[in-house]
Amino acid sequence: MEKCTRRDFLKTAGIVGGGIVLSSGSLLHAQEAALKGGKKVNVALIGVGAEGKVLLESMLKIPYINFVAICDIWPRNAKYAFVKILRGVKQKPKIYEDYKDVIKNHAKELDAAVIATPDFWHAPHTNAFLEAGVNVYCEKMMSDTVEGAKSMVRAMKKSGKLLQIGHQRKSNPRYIYAHDVLLRKVGICGTIMACNGQWNRAVTKDIVVNKNVEIPQETLKKYGYKDMHQFLNWRWFKGLGGGAISDLGAHQIDIFAWMLGARPSAVMASGNSGYYENHDWDDNVMCIFEYDKSFQGKPVQAFYQVLTTTSSGGGYFESFMGDKGTLKMSENADISTLFRENSVLKEEWDKLAKEGVIGEGGAVAAVKKADVRESGPLAAYGFPKEIPGFVEGKPIHMYHLENFFGAVQGKNKLSCDAAHAFEAEAAVFKARDAIAAGKKLTFSESDFVVD
C-alpha cells in the first residue's frame, strides 16, 4: 500500500465549500456583513415540503444567502419558510403560489433558484428558471421520466447557466476522501470485485392532515394532484414520483458508478408490493448491476436493495469489497467502517492508521491461520478523525449547497451538474424498466448521453 497522508487530500478537499457552522448570533452578524459587502446571492426557494425544509435549514447557515422569494402551493409550507427565514436571518422574502410569478417578478435579480418540488415538477420548474437566465439547484430525481430528465440537460446547455442536481454525496468531504485517497491513492480494498448497498426503512404510515388545512380541490387539480393524499404522498404515485428505488436508491446507485469509475453494463431487478394497499410503486426492490470494467480494469457486480417494510440490516450504506479489505460508507459516520481481510498483515493497516490515513483498529477476536479462508470476524478500522473540509455536525446537504453557490460566485466547479447526474439516474430508470420487464436488461452508450 502506497503511503498517503491527509496532506495529499488537501487539493481535492479544496473543491468543497468547507465553511463553518455558525451559532445563531454569529450567523446574523456574518449575514449582515456579507450582505453589506455586496457578496449576497439572491435565492428563490421553490417547494417547501419535507426536502425543501431540509435545504432551507442548511441555507439558513450560509451567511451570504439573501432570500428573495418563497413558492409553494400550500400556504402552510410557505408560512413555515417565511417564519424560519424571518427569525433566522431577519429577511422578508415575497410569498408566491405559482412559480411563473416568481420568474415574472424576480428573474432579473435572482442569482439562483433552489427547487425541491415533487419529481414530476422538476423539469418544468428547472427549465423555466434556466430559460429565464437563473442558475438552478434541483433535487434528485431530475424527473419522473427519462425524457423529462433529458430536457433539463438540454436546457442547461442551451441557457449556459448552472444546474446542480441534489446527489449531495458528491460534495461530501468523507466521500471524496474515500474516492480519491482510500480507493485510488491507497488501494485500501485491494482488487474490488463486488459492491453492496442498501437503504432499509421501517413501516411508515401515509401522511395525513386535518381537513381545515387542506389545499382547495381546484388548486390541487391545477397543479396535477388528484387529491390531498396524492399531494402529501406523491413519491408513491406513478406520474408524480418514482417510488423507493428513485427516492432513496438514486443516491446510492450513483455512488456505485462514481466509486467504481464505470457505467453499468446490465441490470436485473425485482420488486414487490402489496403491503401498502394504496401505493402505485413497489414497496421493496432488489437489483444487481453489472459493470464490465471498473477503474481497476476488472468486472464488478453490485447488489442493491431498498426496503420500506423493515429497518433491520444496518440502515443505509454502500460497501466496496476487495481482496484486501472492505470500505463501508454512509452519510452516517457511525456506520462507516473499514474492514481488513485476515490474509492482510495487520502491520500494513496499523501503519496507515499511525499516519492518519485511516482510523485506529478496534478490538477484534483472534483468528487462527487455519481460519483465514473462512468467514471469520474481520478487523475493523475507521476513518481518520480529521478529514479536510469535513466539519463535525454540519448538515449533510450543506456541502452540496455551498458547492453550488460557490460555483454561482465563480469560485469552484459544480460537483454534480445535470449531465453527470443524468448518467447516474439513467441506471435507476433502467432498473425500474427491468422490474416491469421481469428480465435482465443491458445498457447502451446512448442510455447515458443526452444529445
Side-chain angles (χ1 to χ4, degrees), residues 281-354:
W281 290 108
D282 295 301
D283 305 327
N284 301 321
V285 173
M286 297 183 180
C287 46
I288 298 175
F289 290 91
E290 296 177 356
Y291 300 82
D292 287 343
K293 186 183 294 186
S294 72
F295 72 96
Q296 297 174 313
K298 302 289 185 181
V300 179
Q301 292 172 296
F303 172 75
Y304 180 73
Q305 74 174 22
V306 55
L307 308 180
T308 63
T309 56
T310 178
S311 60
S312 64
Y316 62 107
F317 59 83
E318 310 87 40
S319 292
F320 301 87
M321 296 169 276
D323 58 356
K324 289 187 176 181
T326 292
L327 166 65
K328 183 179 181 181
M329 285 294 302
S330 177
E331 286 183 311
N332 183 344
D334 293 335
I335 297 176
S336 301
T337 315
L338 291 162
F339 297 99
R340 174 178 58 81
E341 287 290 313
N342 295 320
S343 58
V344 178
L345 290 177
K346 178 177 181 293
E347 288 75 11
E348 290 186 55
W349 283 50
D350 286 348
K351 181 182 178 183
L352 292 173
K354 185 177 181 180

Side-chain angles (χ1 to χ4, degrees), residues 41-59:
V41 175
N42 291 329
V43 175
L45 176 58
I46 314 300
V48 199
E51 189 64 19
K53 289 180 174 69
V54 170
L55 297 179
L56 174 60
E57 293 290 345
S58 290
M59 286 190 287

Side-chain angles (χ1 to χ4, degrees), residues 231-259:
F231 171 76
L232 293 169
N233 303 279
W234 59 267
R235 289 172 172 82
W236 295 108
F237 293 95
K238 294 181 178 179
L240 306 182
I245 188 64
S246 294
D247 196 40
L248 302 176
H251 286 297
Q252 298 173 290
I253 293 168
D254 175 24
I255 295 304
F256 285 157
W258 183 41
M259 292 292 186

Side-chain angles (χ1 to χ4, degrees), residues 24-327:
S24 58
S26 59
L27 174 62
L28 284 173
H29 179 75
Q31 181 82 27
E32 293 170 0
L35 298 187
K36 288 180 180 178
K39 299 177 183 179
K40 65 181 180 181
V41 175
N42 291 329
V43 175
L45 176 58
I46 314 300
V48 199
E51 189 64 19
K53 289 180 174 69
V54 170
L55 297 179
L56 174 60
E57 293 290 345
S58 290
M59 286 190 287
L60 286 171
K61 293 178 170 64
I62 302 176
Y64 51 81
I65 298 300
N66 182 47
F67 293 95
V68 172
I70 301 165
C71 182
D72 198 292
I73 71 170
W74 198 11
R76 189 184 190 190
N77 280 345
K79 182 180 179 180
Y80 170 90
F82 181 86
V83 172
K84 272 283 183 179
I85 293 168
L86 179 61
R87 290 177 178 174
V89 291
K90 306 300 182 185
Q91 298 171 11
K92 296 182 180 180
K94 300 290 185 181
I95 297 177
Y96 295 91
E97 174 192 296
D98 196 323
Y99 73 100
K100 294 177 183 176
D101 292 329
V102 178
I103 294 174
K104 178 182 177 181
N105 295 327
H106 302 287
K108 292 183 179 179
E109 65 179 308
L110 284 175
D111 296 303
V114 175
I115 296 172
T117 49
D119 292 357
F120 78 112
W121 271 114
H122 284 176
H125 287 161
T126 295
N127 295 348
F129 277 97
L130 290 173
E131 290 166 6
V134 180
N135 301 298
V136 174
Y137 178 109
C138 181
E139 265 306 327
K140 64 95 203 101
M141 291 276 284
M142 294 172 68
S143 174
D144 64 313
T145 68
V146 174
E147 285 307 313
K150 286 183 176 180
S151 74
M152 295 168 69
V153 179
R154 295 187 184 108
M156 177 188 70
K157 293 178 179 178
K158 182 178 180 180
S159 68
K161 307 306 291 185
L162 299 173
L163 174 53
Q164 176 103 306
I165 305 300
H167 293 274
Q168 71 267 5
R169 288 165 176 77
K170 292 286 185 63
S171 294
N172 188 311
R174 293 174 60 254
Y175 273 82
I176 296 173
Y177 184 82
H179 177 278
D180 291 356
V181 178
L182 296 180
L183 293 187
R184 284 160 174 78
K185 181 72 175 179
V186 179
I188 196 76
C189 295
T191 301
I192 300 170
M193 298 293 289
C195 305
N196 184 28
Q198 70 171 47
W199 198 319
N200 294 351
R201 282 186 171 179
V203 172
T204 304
K205 294 182 179 179
D206 286 355
I207 304 169
V208 295
V209 294
N210 294 328
K211 289 285 185 181
N212 63 329
V213 297
E214 287 188 351
I215 300 171
Q217 187 61 34
E218 59 269 23
T219 303
L220 290 168
K221 184 177 180 181
K222 175 182 176 181
Y223 292 103
Y225 303 97
K226 176 184 175 182
D227 52 31
M228 197 66 184
H229 181 259
Q230 271 199 356
F231 171 76
L232 293 169
N233 303 279
W234 59 267
R235 289 172 172 82
W236 295 108
F237 293 95
K238 294 181 178 179
L240 306 182
I245 188 64
S246 294
D247 196 40
L248 302 176
H251 286 297
Q252 298 173 290
I253 293 168
D254 175 24
I255 295 304
F256 285 157
W258 183 41
M259 292 292 186
L260 294 174
R263 296 167 174 170
S265 55
V267 61
M268 58 188 81
S270 175
N272 66 57
S273 58
Y275 188 90
Y276 302 96
E277 296 180 357
N278 55 354
H279 293 176
D280 291 342
W281 290 108
D282 295 301
D283 305 327
N284 301 321
V285 173
M286 297 183 180
C287 46
I288 298 175
F289 290 91
E290 296 177 356
Y291 300 82
D292 287 343
K293 186 183 294 186
S294 72
F295 72 96
Q296 297 174 313
K298 302 289 185 181
V300 179
Q301 292 172 296
F303 172 75
Y304 180 73
Q305 74 174 22
V306 55
L307 308 180
T308 63
T309 56
T310 178
S311 60
S312 64
Y316 62 107
F317 59 83
E318 310 87 40
S319 292
F320 301 87
M321 296 169 276
D323 58 356
K324 289 187 176 181
T326 292
L327 166 65

